[in-house]
Amino acid sequence: MHTASPGYARLLSPLDLGRFEVRNRIVMGSMHVGLEDSPADAEKLAAYLAERARGGAGLIVTGGYSPNRTGRLTPRGAEADERTMERHRVITREVHEADGRILLQLLHAGRYAFHPLAASAQAGRSPLSPFRARRLTRRGVQRTVEDFASAAARAVEAGYDGVELMGSEGYLLNQFLAPATNRRRDRWGRGAEARRTFPLAVAQAVREAIGPDALLSYRISLLDLVPGGQDWVETMVLARGLVERGVDVLSTGIGWHESRVPTIVTSVPRAAFAPLTERLRMNVDVPVIASNRIHDPAVAEQVLAAGQADLISMARPLLADPHLPRKLTEGRASQVVPCIACNQACLDRVFDGKRASCLMNPRAGRETELVLTPVLQRRQRKVAVVGAGPAGLEAALAAAERGHVVTLFEATDELGGQLRMAARIPGKEDYAQALRSWPTRLAAAGVGIRLGVRPSAQDLLGFHDVVIATGVLPREVDLPGFATTPDGSGPAAAAGGPDVHAAGDRAGADTAPTGPHVITYADLLEGRAEPGERVAIIGAGGIGVDVAQYLSAPQPSPTLDAQAWKRHWGVADPADHRGGILPRLSAPCPRPGSGSGSDGAVPQPDQPALDVPADGRRARVVHLLQRKDTKIGAGLGRTTGWVHRAELRRAGVVQHTGVAYQRIDEQGLHVRVGDQEQLIEVDTVVICAGQVSERSLADELLQARSGRSPRVHVVGGADVAAELDAERAIRQAVETVAGI
Ligand code: NAP
Ligand code: SF4
């Protein structure tokens, strides 16, 4: 029998929310997954939400549904209209059958709407939409209040336990509150009190519409993080007004979508904004929900223990592991599948108009489609998985979960593959959580682990199935002056090439030739080679950008210190600075080199003062190069790429695009840009030129096929190295194993 871990006593304790009790303090916060938009997806959405209810979430909030057509996020976006609300009964029934409680979120996009009907407090265009919003007339505002009320009534009629009003993240209710987006001169906008009239009227009308038994939650923006946002006094007056009008719970939101400060990416410190939630909690007498980067149950418990909140919103963590609450209850916290806040398969997908899933859990959002059916004992197969990077690890887990007998082989003595290197990048420290979770999850699933073993084809003949997840090798670069070693493990001086050292050869630098030290990103990140003071990075894909950050980021990483991180991004106390951001501290940093132009429509951070090393050391000079003449980092994630690009600019990384590599000699790296030859004087060159598949074992097995050969499945980077990422690798691995 399982017992709840005493470490999570607060998180797992029930709470009376006034209208009903929730079984624990874990709220699955609202997150649009792309199944909300079409009524035809109602069954899939029901399966996705019911899985989280079965997993034990105390309260679930759906993705946002507009109260009317004007407020839809996209032309065909989700709306709580009369025609489609009937389809929600399957959702509410399935969640209730799993003892869950569920609210429908009402979200009016206002000027964030991506269609020509967009309307807001005032006319204008947001940085996020090409469509100019029209100004709502006075009658239009009143009608919108009524639309919220009717939609809320329909939600309760369809079986929801209540509704949540989306009043943060810069959507319509928030737009009415901020002086920057509401300069109306009528009763809906002249001064702070008038700006509050619309959200308060909506709350009151919705309370009346849903009756006394339904819960009303309001997502309140504690920190707008935009110029001309609200100040703290205004926010507190709003909070008390909402409670007076019947709001039962205040869920906290941080940062408008157009904000130039990151609020949810992995480089944001854990629970960075919980102190503000605590200040709200001291000012109201309803439960408050903390959110933003509280992805680890231990952090959630600490926030509750410190009295900073009554409940914790965990949206992405429940995407990664729908059974997180149940695992805590059963004393299996170490088996929780962690969310690493990468956004790769969830928010980046949603912003691309695709269905969300999870890098760590490809079944998320596909519960009815990607099913890991248990196998009967007589159909059990002996499965070997070769390679313990993310693809191999998740293949082994999925195969064992289905009931197969699984052995996982790994040539090195550590699990994690390329993710081990990613965890060393400043700002990606939380990737290590995935590394820590795999050993316990593998042990619980009964997977046999053989570390330090590189099996031959002969060794694998006794298995029914072999999953090849041997990953990738750094791509060799053919450039006069050096060549990488054939096994990709590190570069070596090319025959006749001058002045180039092999990785790890730096000790003899005084007597050895004086040209740049050429190393791969793996040499650098695995500690086999030390970088010099002047570094050129060849290749500016995801890994090149990561390496540039590794070489140039402030030390210690601001991600590990919330106060330092706030200074780094110019986050201020909203009691001192409207919107919670510091005025621009300095002129934009100089951007030497080519290709460092404006980032277009994607929000960019203000440029606070450059972080200068405290000891006055000369900062390392880092050059980042690519052959393409597109913007550096253009291929990075929609929700994360701008943060990386901002960090590079801030650190003064010299960006070169449209280069043709010429040679490396004792002077440095020679490149051509257009007609001009340039010398980049460096003492280290790091090769980040992508990868090639490591499939020697796969080829050996496939060539040696005979009657007793196992079935061979090649997944992840070993299958296709181009544009490899962990999300694709894991998804392919789990899909493959689902069919074994
Ligand atoms: P990548 O994204 O394919 O980038 C490799 C870069 O090397 C290319 O941009 C290419 O740019 C350059 N290159 C390719 N062949 C070359 C050659 N022969 N000589 C010189 N340059 C060459 O690969 P990666 O950086 O290794 O990343 C692997 C995967 O992990 C990618 O899918 C990436 O998105 C993902 N990842 C993402 C992140 C993130 O989102 N932050 C971080 C790490 C990794 P040019 O041809 O223009 O020079
Ligand atoms: Fe978390 Fe990344 Fe999964 Fe999104 S894709 S839920 S951020 S692990």
Side-chain angles (χ1 to χ4, degrees):
M1 197 185 88
H2 298 295
T3 49
S5 160
Y8 301 99
R10 290 179 182 81
L11 195 57
L12 296 176
S13 62
L15 181 67
D16 186 353
L17 298 179
R19 314 286 164 177
F20 52 79
E21 184 179 273
V22 284
R23 56 187 156 179
N24 58 48
R25 311 298 182 99
I26 301 172
V27 178
M28 177 159 176
S30 176
M31 182 164 158
H32 199 82
V33 290
L35 290 169
E36 297 83 354
D37 297 339
S38 166
D41 286 330
E43 267 83 19
K44 289 177 189 162
L45 185 57
Y48 160 75
L49 294 168
E51 181 80 4
R52 273 77 198 161
R54 272 191 295 280
L59 182 66
I60 293 173
V61 186
T62 66
Y65 287 81
S66 176
N68 57 26
R69 182 177 267 228
T70 315
R72 291 181 184 183
L73 275 163
T74 56
R76 292 174 186 274
E79 183 184 335
D81 57 354
E82 265 176 82
R83 193 177 55 84
T84 56
M85 275 317 282
E86 194 54 31
R87 300 299 302 269
H88 286 244
R89 286 192 184 278
V90 61
I91 297 170
T92 54
R93 189 180 60 241
E94 288 199 24
V95 168
H96 289 151
E97 279 171 5
D99 289 334
R101 293 287 197 171
I102 183 162
L103 308 181
L104 181 105
Q105 189 187 69
L106 290 175
L107 180 157
H108 190 301
R111 67 200 260 280
Y112 282 171
F114 215 81
H115 54 72
L117 296 181
S120 184
Q122 67 190 40
R125 203 175 68 82
S126 81
L128 304 189
S129 170
F131 296 95
R132 184 179 161 80
R134 72 186 155 81
R135 179 185 186 274
L136 280 166
T137 61
R138 271 179 284 177
R139 177 73 196 109
V141 179
Q142 190 55 52
R143 257 203 308 267
T144 308
V145 174
E146 291 157 16
D147 289 342
F148 266 100
S150 329
R154 281 194 289 275
V156 173
E157 175 63 27
Y160 284 100
D161 298 295
V163 293
E164 176 169 278
L165 299 175
M166 173 40 120
S168 67
E169 264 80 359
Y171 291 113
L172 183 73
L173 296 174
N174 213 172
Q175 289 160 24
F176 264 85
L177 288 163
T181 46
N182 183 358
R183 284 192 283 271
R184 297 176 75 102
R185 308 299 298 163
D186 59 10
R187 63 180 282 245
W188 306 105
R190 195 196 300 242
E193 192 179 340
R195 287 197 300 272
R196 275 192 293 278
T197 313
F198 174 64
L200 292 176
V202 169
Q204 180 153 350
V206 167
R207 175 78 273 163
E208 285 162 12
I210 61 178
D213 298 329
L215 190 87
L216 177 54
S217 168
Y218 185 97
R219 190 153 163 116
I220 186 168
S221 177
L222 291 191
L223 201 55
D224 291 338
L225 294 176
V226 289
Q230 300 162 92
D231 68 26
W232 187 249
V233 172
E234 289 168 5
T235 305
M236 289 307 99
V237 176
L238 171 71
R240 287 191 287 268
L242 290 167
V243 173
E244 282 161 19
R245 282 156 184 81
V247 167
D248 302 302
V249 178
L250 287 169
S251 179
T252 58
I254 304 290
W256 289 27
H257 285 316
E258 69 199 74
S259 168
R260 298 170 175 202
V261 178
T263 54
I264 54 168
V265 300
T266 195
S267 58
V268 176
R270 296 163 162 213
F273 305 104
L276 273 187
T277 309
E278 182 180 12
R279 269 157 72 182
L280 167 69
R281 188 168 182 258
M282 290 188 303
N283 273 280
V284 291
D285 47 17
V286 295
V288 300
I289 306 177
S291 73
N292 288 63
R293 290 288 285 129
I294 310 179
H295 61 297
D296 179 341
V299 176
E301 181 71 16
Q302 281 163 19
V303 169
L304 294 178
Q308 293 178 310
D310 301 283
L311 300 116
I312 306 292
S313 174
M314 298 177 110
R316 292 175 297 169
L318 288 172
L319 215 59
D321 194 338
H323 299 129
L324 180 154
R326 191 152 60 84
K327 287 180 180 172
L328 301 185
T329 310
E330 295 174 354
R332 297 190 289 134
S334 61
Q335 292 171 32
V336 168
V337 182
C339 163
I340 55 174
C342 63
N343 289 356
Q344 258 175 266
C346 54
L347 295 177
D348 284 349
R349 285 255 190 92
V350 171
F351 281 105
D352 277 342
K354 297 180 187 150
R355 195 194 310 178
S357 187
C358 172
L359 177 144
M360 296 292 293
N361 170 21
R363 294 198 58 236
R366 299 173 66 202
E367 284 72 14
T368 57
E369 295 147 277
L370 180 51
V371 182
L372 295 177
T373 322
V375 288
L376 299 173
Q377 201 165 6
R378 63 190 163 80
R379 303 216 160 201
Q380 228 174 25
R381 297 175 72 86
K382 280 180 71 182
V383 178
V385 179
V386 186
L393 287 159
E394 290 297 332
L397 282 163
E401 195 180 315
R402 291 193 59 207
H404 294 305
V405 179
V406 184
T407 307
L408 174 63
F409 295 91
E410 166 56 38
T412 71
D413 53 9
E414 283 180 281
L415 305 174
Q418 297 255 100
L419 210 75
R420 280 206 319 269
M421 286 186 256
R424 297 196 179 112
I425 307 301
K428 290 191 172 175
E429 290 83 357
D430 270 352
Y431 281 32
Q433 234 184 326
L435 300 175
R436 282 193 292 274
S437 85
W438 272 310
T440 42
R441 291 169 58 210
L442 290 167
V447 173
I449 304 174
R450 305 279 307 279
L451 289 178
V453 178
R454 193 185 286 270
S456 66
Q458 190 68 27
D459 298 333
L460 298 169
L461 290 181
F463 289 90
H464 298 118
D465 291 84
V466 176
V467 179
I468 301 287
T470 42
V472 293
L473 296 170
R475 175 181 281 125
E476 294 173 25
V477 172
D478 186 13
L479 185 61
F482 77 93
T484 45
T485 51
D487 69 354
S489 62
D499 302 343
V500 180
H501 308 265
D505 200 21
R506 214 52 190 159
D510 288 347
T511 51
T514 53
H517 189 199
V518 183
I519 60 178
T520 66
Y521 66 86
D523 296 322
L524 178 74
L525 297 176
E526 289 181 344
R528 292 192 296 269
E530 278 295 315
E533 289 298 295
R534 300 167 306 156
V535 184
I537 301 168
I538 290 188
I543 291 181
V545 169
D546 271 2
V547 165
Q549 279 189 246
Y550 177 81
L551 293 169
S552 64
Q555 293 293 336
S557 165
T559 297
L560 303 176
D561 177 347
Q563 291 314 319
W565 181 87
K566 284 177 187 164
R567 283 195 301 277
H568 187 70
W569 282 98
V571 177
D573 189 326
D576 301 330
H577 295 278
R578 188 171 273 287
I581 50 168
L582 289 176
R584 195 173 270 250
L585 289 179
S586 65
C589 308
R591 296 176 191 170
S594 57
S596 52
S598 155
D599 269 317
V602 182
Q604 293 302 307
D606 279 346
Q607 304 280 342
L610 270 174
D611 298 280
V612 177
D615 60 5
R617 276 178 293 120
R618 189 167 62 92
R620 180 179 284 126
V621 178
V622 178
H623 298 260
L624 181 56
L625 300 96
Q626 70 175 19
R627 298 174 299 184
K628 291 185 282 291
D629 55 13
T630 52
K631 178 176 63 182
I632 283 208
L636 299 178
R638 285 282 287 256
T639 60
T640 54
W642 69 272
V643 183
H644 294 295
R645 291 192 293 271
E647 294 283 27
L648 296 184
R649 277 200 309 275
R650 181 204 300 259
V653 170
V654 188
Q655 303 180 26
H656 307 256
T657 61
V659 304
Y661 303 110
Q662 302 294 295
R663 66 188 181 283
I664 294 176
D665 61 19
E666 67 282 358
Q667 292 178 293
L669 172 64
H670 295 260
V671 298
R672 178 173 284 282
V673 182
D675 297 338
Q676 301 248 306
E677 186 147 330
Q678 289 181 11
L679 166 66
I680 302 173
E681 291 181 53
V682 288
D683 43 38
T684 309
V685 175
V686 186
I687 309 298
C688 301
Q691 293 108 5
V692 292
S693 297
E694 162 52 298
R695 45 178 303 140
S696 48
L697 178 62
D699 293 341
E700 205 186 321
L701 274 164
L702 291 168
Q703 274 161 19
R705 289 191 73 79
S706 69
R708 54 191 275 268
S709 298
R711 285 194 308 194
V712 178
H713 316 266
V714 186
V715 300
D719 180 32
V720 180
E723 293 179 8
L724 166 75
D725 62 46
E727 190 268 323
R728 193 193 81 204
I730 291 176
R731 178 163 37 89
Q732 187 191 18
V734 175
E735 284 171 354
T736 301
V737 168
I740 289 180

